[in-house]
C-alpha cells in the first residue's frame, strides 16, 4: 500500500506515523464513486479558521495537500485532525499534537500526515498514530459506507474513544494509551468484510 508518511517536527521530539493494515475487500460490481469527493464529500465552500492549517507548522507543502480543501474533523485534549485532498485526488489525514503544557494548537510542535488513493480509502480508510514525548493520538477516518451508530456500538465501553461524524465519514479519535487498551475492534460493514480498528502500536501489526 503506497501511503505517504511525511511527518514534520520542530525540535528534537520523535514522532511515529504508521499506516493501518487491513485485509482489503474487492470493490465488486456495485456502483461506487471511487474519487475523493465520492469518499469524503466535496471540500468546504467556506473554510472556518479551525479548518485552516497553521502555516507556521504546516505540512501542506511536503504532502501537496490543497490548502482550500482542508477541514477540521476531530479533536480532543491531546490534538486535532484535519482531512484534505491533493491535486492528484489523494485523501490525506493530518494530525497535530497540542502543546503538552497548555493544549494550545498555536503552540503545537508535532504534525504528521498519512495519505491514500480513493481506492485505498474505500478499502481501508486512512489512519494515523502520532506520538509526542509524553503522549500521542490515534485517528481513523472510515470509508463512507460505515455508519456512526455501527461504530458507536462497536466501541461501546471504551469511554476514551471519541466518535465524530464529518460530512460523509465517521471519525474515531483517541489517546494512544486508550487505543492500546482497546486493542483491535471489528466493525460490521454492509456487504463487505468486517472493518478493523487497531491501535497502530507495535503489538497490533
Amino acid at each position: 500500500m503506497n501511503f505517504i508518511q511525511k511527518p514534520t517536527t520542530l525540535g528534537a521530539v520523535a514522532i511515529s506515523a504508521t499506516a493501518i493494515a487491513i485485509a482489503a475487500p474487492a470493490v465488486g460490481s456495485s456502483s461506487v464513486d471511487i474519487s475523493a469527493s465520492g469518499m469524503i464529500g466535496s471540500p468546504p465552500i467556506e473554510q472556518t479558521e479551525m479548518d485552516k492549517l497553521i502555516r507556521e507548522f504546516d505540512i501542506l507543502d511536503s504532502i501537496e495537500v490543497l490548502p482550500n480543501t482542508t477541514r477540521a474533523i476531530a479533536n480532543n485534549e491531546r490534538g486535532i485532525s484535519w482531512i484534505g485532498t491533493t491535486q492528484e485526488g489523494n485523501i490525506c489525514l493530518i494530525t497535530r499534537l497540542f502543546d503538552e503544557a497548555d493544549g494550545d494548537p498555536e503552540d503545537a510542535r508535532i504534525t504528521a500526515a498519512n495519505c491514500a488513493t480513493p481506492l485505498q480509502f474505500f478499502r481501508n480508510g486512512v489512519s494515523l498514530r502520532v506520538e509526542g514525548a509524553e503522549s500521542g493520538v490515534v485517528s481513523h477516518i472510515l470509508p463512507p459506507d460505515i455508519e456512526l451508530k455501527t461504530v458507536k456500538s462497536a466501541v461501546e465501553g471504551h469511554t476514551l474513544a471519541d466518535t465524530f461524524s464529518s460530512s460523509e465519514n465517521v471519525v474515531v479519535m483517541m489517546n494512544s494509551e486508550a487505543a492500546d487498551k482497546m486493542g483491535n475492534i471489528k466493525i460490521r460493514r454492509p456487504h463487505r468484510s468486517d472493518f478493523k480498528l487497531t491501535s497502530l502500536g507495535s503489538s497490533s501489526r
Side-chain angles (χ1 to χ4, degrees), residues 13 27 45 59 61 63 76 90 128 133 137 168 191-192 201:
V13 181
V27 175
I45 296 175
I59 198 172
D61 294 337
I63 60 173
N76 63 14
N90 293 330
L128 179 66
V137 169
E168 304 293 322
H191 313 300
R192 295 182 176 87

Side-chain angles (χ1 to χ4, degrees), residues 40 42-44 47 51 60 65-71 83-86:
I40 63 172
S42 300
Q47 290 175 304
D51 289 330
L60 288 177
V65 167
L66 299 173
N68 64 342
T69 68
T70 61
R71 60 180 181 265
I83 195 170
T85 57
T86 68

Side-chain angles (χ1 to χ4, degrees), residues 156-157 160 175:
E156 187 176 5
L160 296 179
N175 299 339

